[in-house]
Amino acid sequence: MRDLSKFAASIEAFLFVKGEPVKLKELSEVFKEDTLSIQKGLDFLKEKYQREDSGITLYESGAGWRLATKSEYNDWLTEVLGKEQTLSSAALETLAVVACKEPVTRADIEKVRGVSVGRVLSTLIEKGLIEERGRLNTLGSPILYGTTRRFLACTGLSDLSELRSRWSSKPEEGELF
């Protein structure tokens, strides 16, 4: 392997330009290095970003590795740059149903929410938070929806089992989940 600091700098540059989470396997393929070498480079960067004089951090979610601003700067950045576009409550509710029950059909989502979700599903697909996962093998072949790697990256979850484990107790009578 090359000089660790220069190798880590290459990984840093790649993650910065990529701008979205990258899996360890993809980094290994891009750099033509084994995953252990890649992990050493990532560990070097994590240590570098833990210092107080760094405004960014490196973190891993189920979607992969990515660079991000440190959370302690969130309020200030929001004040300076303006608030990011947020999801409506209808979109958040729909996204929660998809995340907890995926793969799930539009009819199943509407049954839980009690309202039509056609436009909301389109919005969530446009934002890259959900995707079509195939079709249910039944009359009409309805589309099955599931969350995306972008959803994991935005939520910081490693995988959906983390989300589901938070609600692992049995729901009480009348609860939706």
Side-chain angles (χ1 to χ4, degrees):
M1 185 178 71
R2 335 163 195 186
D3 172 28
L4 183 58
S5 64
K6 288 188 184 249
F7 181 56
S10 298
I11 294 173
E12 178 181 47
F14 180 78
L15 291 174
F16 178 77
V17 170
K18 187 82 170 176
E20 60 186 36
V22 181
K23 293 277 191 186
L24 188 63
K25 183 180 177 186
E26 183 181 347
L27 287 168
S28 180
E29 291 168 0
V30 166
F31 288 96
K32 296 177 178 42
E33 293 280 350
D34 59 274
T35 54
L36 182 60
S37 298
I38 299 294
Q39 189 63 55
K40 285 180 183 176
L42 292 168
D43 290 343
F44 182 92
L45 290 174
K46 281 173 68 173
E47 189 174 312
K48 171 183 171 181
Y49 296 137
Q50 286 176 349
R51 295 191 330 232
E52 233 178 79
D53 63 346
S54 177
I56 61 173
T57 188
L58 175 70
Y59 78 96
E60 180 185 24
S61 70
W65 290 91
R66 76 181 296 182
L67 296 173
T69 56
K70 286 185 175 175
S71 59
E72 61 213 62
Y73 298 105
N74 288 351
D75 291 340
W76 175 75
L77 287 169
T78 299
E79 183 181 310
V80 172
L81 300 174
K83 192 171 183 177
E84 283 186 32
Q85 184 180 4
T86 57
L87 295 174
S88 67
S89 60
L92 287 171
E93 290 169 11
T94 302
L95 187 56
V97 173
V98 173
C100 290
K101 297 192 168 279
E102 73 174 45
V104 63
T105 65
R106 175 180 169 172
D108 290 335
I109 298 166
E110 290 174 344
K111 185 176 178 182
V112 171
R113 291 213 46 240
V115 296
S116 177
V117 296
R119 181 67 198 130
V120 175
L121 287 174
S122 296
T123 299
L124 293 172
I125 289 171
E126 287 171 19
K127 292 185 179 293
L129 296 171
I130 66 170
E131 64 188 0
E132 292 183 12
R133 291 277 178 86
R135 294 195 173 261
L136 190 61
N137 192 15
T138 187
L139 185 63
S141 302
I143 297 169
L144 291 167
Y145 296 96
T147 56
T148 63
R149 284 180 56 190
R150 185 167 197 276
F151 169 79
L152 292 174
C154 290
T155 59
L157 296 170
S158 296
D159 57 48
L160 288 179
S161 67
E162 282 184 53
L163 180 66
R164 292 179 181 133
S165 70
R166 294 179 189 173
W167 290 286
S168 60
S169 60
K170 282 188 165 184
E172 303 218 0
E173 178 106 12
E175 286 186 318
L176 295 176
F177 300 103

